[in-house]
Every structure is written in structure tokens, then in C-alpha cells.
Amino acid sequence: MRVDDDLVEDLRQQFGSLDAALFDVGEGSPTTRLESPGRVTTEYDQLQRDTAQVAELKRRYDDQCQVCGCRLEQGDGAGYSEVHHIKPLGRSHNGPDTPSNMLVLCPNHHADFDNGMLQIDSDEYSIEHVYDDSVDGTTLYCLPDHEIATEFIEYHNTQIY
Ligand SMILES: [Zn+2]
């Protein structure tokens, strides 16, 4: 049977290896019992920690967009923002899930980043926007203790912009 490459890759990522995906027979296999719980725990911890990092970064910016400064609210007065990964997390990009690769943005500027409609100068943090003059030429707002890695900005500018 032929299997789609994407499916194989998905199985690899999910189970660690093709063998684990194909031969993970649970109770019957001592190897599986020894390896699986540790792996599952690790992935769970990773997810928990990264979700906390995203929430913490949004809190530090009080949900204000680093590009335009706007702060959306939800019905209860709480802020609403989105976290963009400058070097995307997904396959082929494989960016890291760390604050140095994150920006707090409004949904519009999140979309503009995803669509490559703006780029950031990695030294000056000046913004070049393709079509929005109100943003073009302004400076990305960054908290003093939020260090963004130059390599991720360069990646965005060369691979996505
Ligand atoms: Zn914005």
C-alpha cells in the first residue's frame, strides 16, 4: 500500500518513529510501555509551558499590538490579542516556540505578517508596510525585556515578506 508522504511525516512526529506508529501494540509490548509514557508526558509539559508563555507575553503587553498599538477588548473588558511566531512553527519552517520568536499583535497585523505584507528592520525595528501608510515607517514597539532574535526577523524578511 502506498502512503502519502505527509501522512508518514505526521505519524513520525506523533509517534517519534514509523516503527512506533506501526507497531505500537500497547499492553503486549514492554518497549512500548517503557517509552510511551515518558514521551507523552514530555509533549504534555511542553504544550503547557508554551501556552503559559503566550499568555504571559500577552499580559505583559496588555494585549496591545506591537505594530499599531491598538488594544481590542472582549465583552467583559478583557483585552484580546494574538501571538505571531515570526519564524513559523509549522513544518518546513520549524521556528521555536519561545518569546524571542513571538510578537503580540492585533488580528489585522497578525494576518499582515502571515501574508508577508510587512517587514521589520532587524536593527532599528522600523516597519515597512506594503499598503498601509499609517503603519509604514513607524517603529515596532518592544518592551525592554522582550528580546526578539535577529535571525527570526531576517527569516521573515527573506522567506515570507
Ligand atoms: Zn495592529
Side-chain angles (χ1 to χ4, degrees):
M1 190 180 81
R2 292 195 60 79
V3 181
D4 185 64
D5 282 347
D6 282 348
L7 178 61
V8 171
E9 189 56 35
D10 278 339
L11 288 172
R12 276 218 179 85
Q13 297 213 337
Q14 198 177 334
F15 291 93
S17 73
L18 263 192
D19 282 358
L22 294 172
F23 306 115
D24 188 352
V25 291
E27 292 302 304
S29 160
T31 312
T32 302
R33 279 206 303 274
L34 285 174
E35 288 181 2
S36 292
R39 174 172 54 76
V40 170
T41 302
T42 302
E43 286 182 359
Y44 180 77
D45 289 346
Q46 182 82 23
L47 183 65
Q48 291 294 302
R49 188 173 67 241
D50 296 339
T51 304
Q53 283 186 332
V54 165
E56 168 66 8
L57 198 62
K58 288 178 176 181
R59 189 195 62 73
R60 282 162 62 193
Y61 279 95
D62 191 28
D63 294 304
Q64 277 193 298
C65 176
Q66 289 183 249
V67 169
C68 69
C70 79
R71 180 182 185 272
L72 272 65
E73 286 191 11
Q74 306 183 52
D76 56 1
Y80 176 83
S81 61
E82 298 179 353
V83 162
H84 172 65
H85 291 85
I86 303 165
K87 184 178 184 182
L89 297 180
R91 239 179 285 153
S92 89
H93 299 294
N94 297 317
D97 200 10
T98 60
S100 66
N101 188 35
M102 292 177 185
L103 292 174
V104 175
L105 299 171
C106 71
N108 282 351
H109 289 124
H110 194 182
D112 281 344
F113 262 99
D114 285 342
N115 295 329
M117 290 295 106
L118 50 79
Q119 69 170 338
I120 307 293
D121 181 279
S122 56
D123 292 325
E124 310 283 336
Y125 285 175
S126 57
I127 299 168
E128 196 175 312
H129 198 292
V130 170
Y131 63 87
D132 186 350
D133 288 343
S134 69
V135 165
D136 189 51
T138 61
T139 303
L140 185 79
Y141 173 65
C142 269
L143 291 171
D145 56 351
H146 179 206
E147 197 144 327
I148 297 168
T150 302
E151 64 169 296
F152 304 140
I153 295 177
E154 297 290 356
Y155 186 90
H156 171 85
N157 293 349
T158 56
Q159 305 296 316
I160 296 165
Y161 175 67

